[in-house]
Amino acid sequence: QKEVEQNSGPLSVPEGAIASLNCTYSDRVSQSFFWYRQYSGKSPELIMSIYSNGDKEDGRFTAQLNKASQYVSLLIRDSQPSDSATYLCAVYNAGNNRKLIWGLGTSLAVNP
Amino acid sequence: DTGVSQDPRHKITKRGQNVTFRCDPISEHNRLYWYRQTLGQGPEFLTYFQNEAQLEKSRLLSDRFSAERPKGSFSTLEIQRTEQGDSAMYLCASSLSGRDEQYFGPGTRLTVT
């Protein structure tokens, strides 16, 4: 079992819809969770971080964390074509010498 | 606020040559990470510095790879005797002690011919 799992996609949504991206992780002591956006040929860009159970909202983005289920998600409201990218889930455990453990990413396509 | 910078952005080299990449982290960040990424994969951890100390190096990394951060500021990653399998995007990230978020530079794309 991979440490961080994401559906590879592609996830295709129409412009204006809500895109829902999911991530599960295997290490129960993981403490910090991040979503990065990566455009083709570019480096990852941090868009959301979440540390405690519940929801965290930032503009059109909402991150949701459920530690009991070892599950973190990202919702993108009012999706725009410019949101088309790969979304990487990363999990941090200070006991793992501060390395981020990465999923393979979910490709999102927002269709005009 | 200046972000993480990397140089060069692109490097094409012939198999067997040595290459060196540079990373300048965000100025107040004391932690620096090197990753490698190939198409369709997440970033693969290579090594990590806290200040000038190299605290961990991936076991996947062969002895051809070496990294330094001599004064706890910029870092260099050297690959000796490059192989075609080294072709990838090399990413540098930095973070602030006490914070878990890592911020990435633009990357250096290496092509070994």
Side-chain angles (χ1 to χ4, degrees), chain B residues 37-109:
Chain B
Q37 189 179 27
T38 53
L39 196 63
Q41 302 294 313
E44 175 191 8
F45 171 80
L46 296 180
T47 191
Y48 155 60
F49 290 87
Q50 179 154 315
N51 301 312
E52 65 275 11
Q54 186 174 20
L55 297 187
E56 186 170 347
K57 182 176 176 180
S58 170
R59 288 184 219 128
L60 301 175
L61 217 57
S62 77
D63 291 342
R64 297 184 298 107
F65 288 73
S66 62
E68 293 183 341
R69 194 182 183 199
K71 296 183 180 178
S73 56
F74 73 92
S75 175
T76 57
L77 177 69
E78 181 182 18
I79 309 173
Q80 296 181 326
R81 305 181 303 282
T82 52
E83 302 172 356
Q84 285 189 320
D86 297 331
S87 295
M89 174 81 90
Y90 288 83
L91 297 164
C92 176
S94 69
S95 70
L96 187 61
S97 184
R99 303 285 303 179
D100 301 340
E101 297 92 345
Q102 294 182 18
Y103 297 90
F104 283 82
T108 295
R109 181 165 296 284

Side-chain angles (χ1 to χ4, degrees), chain B residues 1-43:
Chain B
D1 183 22
T2 305
V4 179
S5 62
Q6 292 186 245
D7 184 71
R9 297 290 301 277
H10 303 274
K11 179 71 176 178
I12 299 174
T13 192
K14 293 186 177 180
R15 190 176 56 186
Q17 298 294 304
N18 298 344
V19 294
T20 299
F21 308 142
R22 176 178 170 128
C23 171
D24 287 86
I26 294 171
S27 58
E28 65 269 26
H29 286 188
N30 63 333
R31 293 179 184 157
L32 187 148
Y33 306 80
W34 285 99
Y35 293 89
R36 178 173 62 187
Q37 189 179 27
T38 53
L39 196 63
Q41 302 294 313

